Amino acid sequence: MPDAENRFVVRSGDNPDLLVIQGDWILEHYTELRQLVGQLRKEGETREPDLSQLGRLDTAGGQLLTELLGSERIQSLTDEGGGLPEERRILLRRIADSLQGKNERPPSHGALFELLGNIGKGTLSFYSHVVHLLGFIGLTLAGLVSSLVRPGTWRVTSVVAQIEQIALNAVGIVALLTFMVGAVIAFLGATVLADFGATIYTVDLIAFSFLREFAVLLTAILMAGRTASAFTAQIGSMKANEEIDAIRTLGLNPLQILVIPRVIAMMISLPILTFIGMLSGLLGGAVVCSLALDISPTMFLSILQQNVAVQHFYLGMAKAPLFAFLIAIIGCMEGFKVSGSAESVGEHTTSSVVQSIFVVILMDALAALFFMEMDW
């Protein structure tokens, strides 16, 4: 037997089935211990260990000892005591748990089982998210009703500041985007309708599409990408910096301070931006009609007044507050879900944008079906 065995591992003379562990199993002796453990494992050492004469022990030595004896035997020794102090039993037990978890591999199943498992996880995640969203909507509505009956809780300054950030700073991009989309629709309409000699109906196409759908939909998608992400990032950063906990410590309600002003500001701002988008889209179509179709602005307005009822304007504007409420709710809810790291802030910001756009398009499709069934 090599000298290393005499220093750290000794076969008991009184009991040949007993392996006595002795000496200091620490990082300083790591190289020597590693060679010894490799040699004993190669020999297939299966004797019962005796740890009563063990000297100093640290994490490196505990890992080598666990590799020599095995995780199950270490667990058994620590459960029985084995003549070890409590702190050493805890150290060895945790090392054994760690190595056992690392060595265990999940059973491999077929692709069909993995697909069904992923579908099940996705379904449960979707159900959980819907429940949280409905609960957060309920809390927000209750907070809105509570603030209406208590004017002292109104935060006018916060609402005005949010309106400036949401609406005033977004007028340019909304107007530019809807103007270009209106021009594109006019070009497409003129190209298609020219084959039928009905280019004059390009005005009707532009008016119907923007008054009913495009203005509110494009504006809502822009707000989902611009404002919902800002809400999530702002509230998520406050959550990560424990500012929300500080608000609760002061006896204040974060819902009243952070969520309701943003929801009210969004519900005021989105209809205004939608109206601006309608005007810009019609203006873009009118410019193309004037330059490419020889339809003067006067004729454009005359056709618009004769053929397009004001009902379509009302239907488009009616969807704006609903979209605004859902976008603000999703943005704020994802902000409160942030766990505390910068990575979590980024993940939930992305999630809020995706969810907001999905919900906006879904609700717009449902509204279009409802309006069609009602013959509006």
Side-chain angles (χ1 to χ4, degrees), residues 168-219:
L168 186 60
N169 296 341
V171 168
I173 187 173
V174 170
L176 179 61
L177 177 65
T178 50
F179 179 87
M180 292 188 295
V181 173
V184 170
I185 292 175
F187 275 121
L188 292 176
T191 301
V192 175
L193 296 175
D195 297 335
F196 303 95
T199 54
I200 194 69
Y201 290 106
T202 304
V203 179
D204 300 72
L205 175 64
I206 298 169
F208 279 107
S209 61
F210 265 89
L211 292 179
R212 292 182 68 103
E213 295 294 337
F214 281 165
V216 63
L217 187 60
L218 290 174
T219 305

Side-chain angles (χ1 to χ4, degrees), residues 63-312:
Q63 180 181 353
L64 292 174
L65 191 60
T66 305
E67 291 181 7
L68 173 62
L69 303 179
S71 298
E72 295 182 358
R73 189 179 293 181
I74 288 292
Q75 291 280 9
S76 176
L77 289 173
T78 53
D79 291 339
E80 296 172 358
L84 292 174
E86 179 65 22
E87 63 273 11
R88 292 191 176 180
R89 292 206 303 269
I90 294 174
L91 175 62
L92 290 174
R93 189 181 300 119
R94 290 184 177 177
I95 293 174
D97 291 339
S98 175
L99 292 177
Q100 190 173 13
K102 183 174 65 175
N103 293 331
E104 287 182 354
R105 295 182 179 179
S108 59
H109 299 289
L112 178 61
F113 287 98
E114 293 184 2
L115 176 62
L116 294 176
N118 291 332
I119 292 174
K121 292 178 182 178
T123 303
L124 292 176
S125 177
F126 177 77
Y127 174 77
S128 175
H129 180 76
V130 170
V131 171
H132 290 158
L133 179 60
L134 293 177
F136 197 79
I137 290 175
L139 288 175
T140 305
L141 291 175
L144 284 171
V145 173
S146 175
S147 63
L148 287 177
V149 299
R150 292 187 298 172
T153 61
W154 294 359
R155 298 184 176 274
V156 180
T157 304
S158 299
V159 173
V160 173
Q162 292 295 332
I163 290 176
E164 179 184 3
Q165 295 179 7
I166 297 170
L168 186 60
N169 296 341
V171 168
I173 187 173
V174 170
L176 179 61
L177 177 65
T178 50
F179 179 87
M180 292 188 295
V181 173
V184 170
I185 292 175
F187 275 121
L188 292 176
T191 301
V192 175
L193 296 175
D195 297 335
F196 303 95
T199 54
I200 194 69
Y201 290 106
T202 304
V203 179
D204 300 72
L205 175 64
I206 298 169
F208 279 107
S209 61
F210 265 89
L211 292 179
R212 292 182 68 103
E213 295 294 337
F214 281 165
V216 63
L217 187 60
L218 290 174
T219 305
I221 291 175
L222 275 176
M223 291 298 100
R226 181 181 182 275
T227 308
S229 60
F231 287 174
T232 303
Q234 291 165 2
I235 297 177
S237 298
M238 295 179 67
K239 181 78 176 296
N241 294 331
E242 300 182 354
E243 295 178 36
I244 295 179
D245 295 334
I247 292 174
R248 292 193 177 99
T249 303
L250 293 174
L252 302 175
N253 187 357
L255 190 75
Q256 294 285 346
I257 297 175
L258 302 176
V259 178
I260 291 180
R262 286 174 167 81
V263 171
I264 295 175
M266 178 67 85
M267 294 181 69
I268 295 173
S269 301
L270 190 56
I272 297 174
L273 293 174
T274 299
F275 179 72
I276 294 173
M278 290 178 179
L279 296 180
S280 299
L282 293 175
L283 179 61
V287 170
V288 172
C289 289
S290 177
L291 297 177
L293 303 178
D294 293 330
I295 300 175
S296 65
T298 303
M299 183 183 295
F300 186 93
L301 293 175
S302 177
I303 297 172
L304 187 66
Q305 185 177 6
Q306 292 175 7
N307 298 347
V308 181
V310 71
Q311 170 190 359
H312 304 295

